[in-house]
Amino acid sequence: MLRILIESAYRWHCSEDQGIRFWSTGSEQAGNALFNFFKGTQNPSLEELCGFLAPLEGPFGFIVDRQHTVFAGTDKVRAYPIFYVQNGEAFAISNSARALRDEFGLSETDEVSLLEFRMSGYVTGRETVYKNLYQLQAGECLIREIGHSGVHCERYYRYFPKRIRSDSEGDLIDELGQVTHRIFGHLIERAEGAPIWVPLSGGLDSRLVLCKLKELGYDRLQSFSYGPPGNHEAKAARHVAEKLEVPWIFVPTRHRGFRTFFHSSLRKQYWSFCDGLCVVPNMQDIQPILELRQKGLLSEESVLVNGQSGDFITGGHIPAGLLEKAPSVSNLLDAVISKHFSLWLHLKTDDALSKIKEKILRLIECPEDRALNREEMIALYEWWEWQERQCKYVVHGQRVYDFVGLSWELPLWEDAYLRFWEDIPVSEKFGQRLYRRYLQKYNYKGLFKDFSPTIWIWPGLSFSVVAAAQVVQWVLGRAWKDRFYNHARYFGHYGPLYAGHGLKYFLRKAGEARNPVSFYADTWIEENGLSSRI
């Protein structure tokens, strides 16, 4: 049995010609190129498909039905998820994980996947929380022929730093400037005059996005920020917008409003729309985006352009420990787990960590006793984070815009940036050294070299927490000060994101929880009736 299920809510497009049914989403140019490829190639092999996809620029997702053979693929950052069921002779593929689960009555969960979900907020590899339900990974394609029991999957792309360049820093900065300029020039061409909205935090990445669009003369720009009133990110963002003479809107996020939204049917609809049965939905900007849409400020023709994930691609996520400790697989595993599998401290038992380490090693295709040099260790770390956290969780945040029916762009995930940054030496990437020096040289309108705002996590009156913490340290010591800060987060910059669970529940769990996603992961498991499986 071979089935294709396409959910209309995700706005995929269907074309038919020469006995081919072709569904796609994302880049129209990529979609047209793919359709022409299948029309002009009789029964392409997996090798031929990979060869065609490798230079194709995204974002895109596609599923093809051609004479009882199914082809499918995602772009290099998995911008549009694709799921499939493989159980013996049964095979089905869809843009909706829930459609497949319901169609096949899947109920058996994967123990390790549920553990990953609770510890990191997403499921790694091809798995989802349900057995026999899988996801295509970033830069992956598949072929499934009727009458054949197996699914043939192949990675045509991996973000893996390998060909390290020896160019001078000055030459690299100049080239980075040229690459960045071209990326935004192409973005402007695709926008075709539509209003571009930029979520502005005042940080380097969103600042760069707005500056390049302004520099290149795009005249339909709107910026906006959100968060609790008086937050320091919004203050920095407002300064940037005023300096660039770009309109700016602030959408306040308050505890009461977020709590109401969190317990609404609309939030549950959003979670069902975008969780893919494998990832905690992004909750940071869904409420502000909905408010802008409901007020009629954010029109249907608008294009959202954010700075995700400039901090990763430019080297900002390389742990200092990987440069300080001896290169080894053990230290690599410790770095991955410390950063990515720590949503709940009580889950980090010896048994759980053993299962997580085993899967990490399988995914990075690295035996535990392999000897590594420092460059290899860091390359494996960046590969893992690109494939898992960035493409499974961070890029997945674009579902917010899909949910409200808006177009979007991710300029700092363009293929040209992937190609440039994967060849940059660790010495130039660590701490975003090269990126920051490029921005200082660029320094558009004095917003990089001469502007470095301090971003406190205590907005408005909550800044008094800092003084109170100093008193606690003076009276009780450093450990109690840290504990005080941990419990005061409810009133900090991300405070409203905890409000859905209430102050009493937060205080009871704060000592174990890493951030709001910790609470969301457990809530998702409970709402999906999976608590008894853990």
Side-chain angles (χ1 to χ4, degrees), residues 25 287 320 525:
T25 190
Q287 188 190 10
I525 288 173

Side-chain angles (χ1 to χ4, degrees), residues 69-304:
T69 299
V70 169
F71 306 85
T74 61
D75 62 63
K76 298 177 181 67
V77 297
R78 187 184 171 274
Y80 297 98
I82 296 174
F83 306 91
Y84 61 97
V85 166
Q86 174 65 31
N87 188 7
E89 293 296 319
F91 174 82
I93 192 165
S94 178
N95 57 0
S96 169
R98 288 177 175 267
L100 291 173
R101 181 198 62 180
D102 296 344
E103 179 71 17
F104 286 85
L106 301 177
S107 59
E108 188 177 2
T109 55
D110 184 282
E111 175 192 357
V112 175
S113 294
L114 276 177
L115 179 64
E116 286 185 300
F117 193 95
R118 290 192 72 199
M119 294 181 72
S120 68
Y122 47 91
V123 180
T124 66
R126 292 175 180 163
E127 287 74 27
T128 66
V129 297
Y130 288 95
K131 288 188 176 180
N132 301 316
L133 176 60
Y134 304 98
Q135 55 181 312
L136 276 182
Q137 300 182 93
E140 187 172 50
C141 59
L142 70 74
I143 295 179
R144 173 61 155 81
E145 299 177 72
I146 195 167
H148 293 70
S149 59
V151 176
H152 303 286
C153 295
E154 187 68 38
R155 301 296 288 276
Y156 68 87
Y157 176 79
R158 285 185 174 92
Y159 179 80
F160 190 85
K162 49 192 179 298
R163 187 181 63 83
I164 303 304
R165 300 171 55 173
S166 58
D167 307 57
S168 70
E169 184 175 87
D171 287 343
L172 291 174
I173 287 174
D174 289 343
E175 183 178 342
L176 177 56
Q178 295 166 11
V179 170
T180 305
H181 196 80
R182 285 197 301 270
I183 285 173
F184 282 91
H186 294 157
L187 188 160
I188 287 173
E189 291 174 3
R190 292 191 298 270
E192 297 181 332
I196 289 181
W197 284 62
V198 178
L200 191 60
S201 68
L204 296 178
D205 303 324
S206 63
R207 206 187 313 169
L208 172 62
V209 168
L210 194 61
C211 282
K212 290 304 295 185
L213 292 170
K214 181 68 176 182
E215 178 198 358
L216 292 174
Y218 205 80
D219 58 4
R220 298 192 72 186
L221 290 176
Q222 173 71 56
S223 61
F224 69 100
S225 305
Y226 51 86
N231 79 80
H232 297 271
E233 283 191 356
K235 291 178 180 178
R238 181 175 183 173
H239 173 81
V240 171
E242 289 177 347
K243 190 78 172 178
L244 295 175
E245 298 181 339
V246 172
W248 178 80
I249 295 174
F250 178 66
V251 185
T253 306
R254 295 183 171 88
H255 286 72
R256 179 179 296 180
F258 187 86
R259 185 181 305 116
T260 299
F261 169 68
F262 188 79
H263 292 286
S264 70
S265 60
L266 183 60
R267 189 274 299 170
K268 293 180 180 179
Q269 292 171 25
Y270 167 62
W271 276 25
S272 295
F273 176 87
C274 70
D275 61 20
L277 299 176
C278 61
V279 61
V280 173
N282 184 294
M283 291 294 288
Q284 274 195 242
D285 56 354
I286 177 63
Q287 188 190 10
I289 292 291
L290 285 170
E291 184 173 333
L292 289 170
R293 290 286 280 140
Q294 290 163 358
K295 289 182 176 180
L297 298 173
L298 192 52
S299 65
E300 290 184 358
E301 63 172 334
S302 300
V303 179
L304 272 293

Side-chain angles (χ1 to χ4, degrees), residues 319-391:
L322 294 185
L323 276 79
E324 298 166 354
K325 298 178 181 178
S328 70
V329 174
S330 176
N331 286 332
L332 169 63
L333 291 172
D334 288 345
V336 171
I337 289 172
S338 175
K339 180 176 178 181
H340 300 286
F341 290 91
S342 300
L343 286 184
W344 290 106
L345 295 180
H346 67 274
L347 294 179
K348 298 177 74 171
T349 64
D350 290 342
D351 180 58
L353 293 177
S354 176
K355 293 173 181 176
I356 296 299
K357 288 179 180 179
E358 181 180 348
K359 187 167 184 184
I360 293 172
L361 291 173
R362 173 167 62 83
L363 290 173
I364 63 175
E365 303 169 6
C366 179
E368 196 164 6
D369 59 354
R370 176 179 166 184
L372 298 175
N373 61 41
R374 195 168 306 281
E375 288 71 22
E376 289 173 329
M377 180 174 65
I378 293 174
L380 286 168
Y381 180 91
E382 290 198 281
W383 170 18
W384 191 93
E385 181 167 342
W386 158 78
Q387 175 176 281
E388 304 305 340
R389 177 172 172 77
Q390 295 299 319
C391 295

Side-chain angles (χ1 to χ4, degrees), residues 474-492:
W474 180 66
V475 176
L476 300 173
R478 176 63 181 269
W480 277 92
K481 185 189 80 167
D482 293 341
R483 184 178 179 183
F484 175 79
Y485 268 134
N486 200 23
H487 286 74
R489 288 178 294 166
Y490 193 85
F491 306 100

